[in-house]
Amino acid sequence: MRRFSTSCVTVALFVLVFSCSSGPRAEEGGADTVGQPLALSTPRKLLPFVALADGRVLAVGGHDGHRTLASCEVFEPATGAWHAAGSLHTPRRNHAAVTLADGRVLAVGGTHGVAMGALASAEVYDPARGVWTVVAGMAEARNDPAAVLLPDGRVLVAGGTDVDRRPLRSAELFDPATGTWSAAQAPGFARGGARTAVVLANGKALFVSGLQAELYDSATGGWEKAGLPGGAAGTHRLAHTVTLLPDGRVLVVGGTTARAAATAEVYSPGTGEWTLVAAPAVAREHHAAVVTPEGTVLVMGGEHYTTGALASVERFDPATGTWASAPALGEPRGKLGAVVLPEGTVLVMGGGNEAAGMLPLGERYVPGGCVPAVCAARDGLCGAVPDGCGGTLDCGPCGDDVCGAGECRAEGAR
């Protein structure tokens, strides 16, 4: 039996008042960006960006800074333009989306409330027709669940939070052939995060969130611990990235705790062990990570609690376990999405920052050489500052005669 939150009346009243504000309607884009290359018609965050089989990219719902969205958009790499792609039957954010074996896209869970809430509903998108179809809902409503496509074609959805934001320790399986759900064995620990699970070469699914990573074996339907609690970094992870490397290992970067934000570690399926690798130069959470055609990993943008949204990009080399600076994004961008396009460039989209708010314009990021930053682009910093390419900039003294009443700070200062 599904629960109804005791706080729903309060939230409903808040939503009613909020929706009558003078802010823009959820499905409207900015008049100054509509039709521009790389411009979403509606700025978005808290959503999955899905690479389709034909090379296009699908933006599924999300939040525009004012309210939850039902609208969806598709990016055409050939033209650099976004266009409408049908609407979800239920507006949702903090949901999971998984590309099925036949190329369709399953969207599950999330929330459409302002403060609390969770959705049990699910929908399937047909890229050929540009239409969403409602399918059977899950047994439990799940906000921010973890989801992954299993080798047998089913989708495993685990964890998330319920209508009162309480962690869920349960899992369900979706069968695309029948459009139905069935119960799965519960994981040993609460799970969460729409992009925190990957399928390993051995067919097992690795779920990395919270304090204890776990493996799901679709052949037996059972769960097992993946390494010691906290991994090699000994920390809880949330708002991090989990990336399957070309050699079969898994890279985990960042998170909300100070320890998680500043560390990276690698899981080796052959040994079942976690190894702490070199720390990235910039601590971050709510960032994006992609594997380049050359096999390196780009960790892009995100946020840090002391500095806000980040423009920095770093490159991880799995062969050496080391990091190198890469050219920065054009705009600091937290809660962003990133997808590698067929020609090898990276489409960076969505999210926002403190100065500009939501960012409707995306970027086509070209992996390659490094362009050093200049002091003018590093407002508020003084002294020796990283130039983004492994060197340093001299951005002037940090004395009171230069910085005034604490308006400047040295790199890394608190």
Side-chain angles (χ1 to χ4, degrees):
M1 179 176 178
R2 293 178 191 162
R3 300 179 59 258
F4 185 84
S5 170
T6 57
S7 60
C8 283
V9 174
T10 302
V11 172
L13 290 173
F14 182 79
V15 172
L16 179 61
V17 173
F18 190 85
S19 64
C20 294
S21 70
S22 59
R25 295 209 313 262
E27 310 303 314
E28 289 183 342
D32 58 342
T33 61
V34 174
Q36 290 187 34
L38 301 176
L40 289 157
S41 65
T42 304
R44 300 170 190 267
K45 63 180 179 179
L46 306 177
L47 74 155
F49 290 93
V50 182
L52 301 176
D54 59 9
R56 297 180 298 163
V57 178
L58 175 68
V60 184
H63 197 269
D64 71 350
H66 297 273
R67 54 197 64 146
T68 306
L69 302 171
S71 66
C72 301
E73 303 181 51
V74 163
F75 177 77
E76 302 282 355
T79 63
W82 290 89
H83 63 79
S87 292
L88 294 158
H89 292 264
T90 301
R92 63 185 79 221
R93 69 176 192 266
N94 289 326
H95 50 295
V98 177
T99 302
L100 304 175
D102 60 8
R104 295 180 299 157
V105 177
L106 172 71
V108 298
T111 181
H112 56 57
V114 174
M116 294 186 181
L119 298 168
S121 62
E123 309 182 39
V124 170
Y125 179 74
D126 183 347
R129 298 189 299 129
V131 174
W132 288 93
T133 302
V134 175
V135 296
M138 298 179 290
E140 290 193 79
R142 301 174 187 274
N143 181 33
D144 199 27
V148 67
L149 179 69
L150 299 173
D152 61 12
R154 296 178 298 166
V155 176
L156 176 65
V157 179
T161 57
D162 67 10
V163 293
D164 288 317
R165 295 288 177 91
R166 295 181 298 192
L168 292 168
R169 193 178 67 82
S170 62
E172 304 180 48
L173 288 160
F174 178 75
D175 186 345
T178 61
T180 59
W181 293 88
S182 60
Q185 180 179 319
F189 303 84
R191 306 251 66 90
R195 290 165 291 280
T196 58
V198 295
V199 175
L200 306 175
N202 60 15
K204 296 181 179 181
L206 175 68
F207 286 74
V208 187
S209 58
L211 189 64
Q212 176 66 66
E214 290 185 89
L215 290 165
Y216 178 82
D217 188 339
S218 58
T220 64
W223 293 84
E224 62 184 273
K225 294 180 181 178
L228 298 175
T235 186
H236 175 282
R237 291 198 188 265
L238 178 68
H240 54 297
T241 52
V242 180
T243 306
L244 183 65
L245 300 175
D247 61 11
R249 295 178 301 157
V250 179
L251 173 68
V252 177
V253 180
T256 54
T257 69
R259 174 69 174 165
T263 57
E265 54 191 312
V266 167
Y267 177 76
S268 299
T271 63
E273 296 180 350
W274 291 92
T275 302
L276 201 63
V277 294
V282 178
R284 66 186 84 212
E285 61 186 271
H286 293 298
H287 52 282
V290 297
V291 179
T292 69
E294 295 77 28
T296 61
V297 179
L298 291 177
V299 174
M300 317 179 80
E303 301 169 343
H304 191 258
Y305 70 95
T306 63
T307 56
L310 303 168
S312 70
V313 178
E314 295 185 67
R315 184 190 304 273
F316 178 76
D317 185 345
T320 62
T322 58
W323 295 88
S325 295
L329 299 173
E331 286 269 8
R333 201 178 285 258
K335 297 183 176 68
L336 70 163
V339 172
V340 178
L341 298 175
E343 79 277 10
T345 62
V346 181
L347 178 64
V348 179
M349 62 232 134
N353 60 49
E354 298 79 9
M358 297 290 292
L359 296 171
L361 281 174
E363 304 178 37
R364 198 187 285 255
Y365 186 91
V366 181
C370 190
V371 179
V374 295
C375 288
R378 309 299 300 273
D379 290 341
L381 295 179
C382 56
V385 177
D387 67 359
C389 295
T392 57
L393 299 170
D394 182 1
C395 291
C398 294
D400 291 341
D401 57 330
V402 175
C403 296
E407 296 179 357
C408 295
R409 59 179 176 78
E411 178 77 0
R414 298 289 183 265

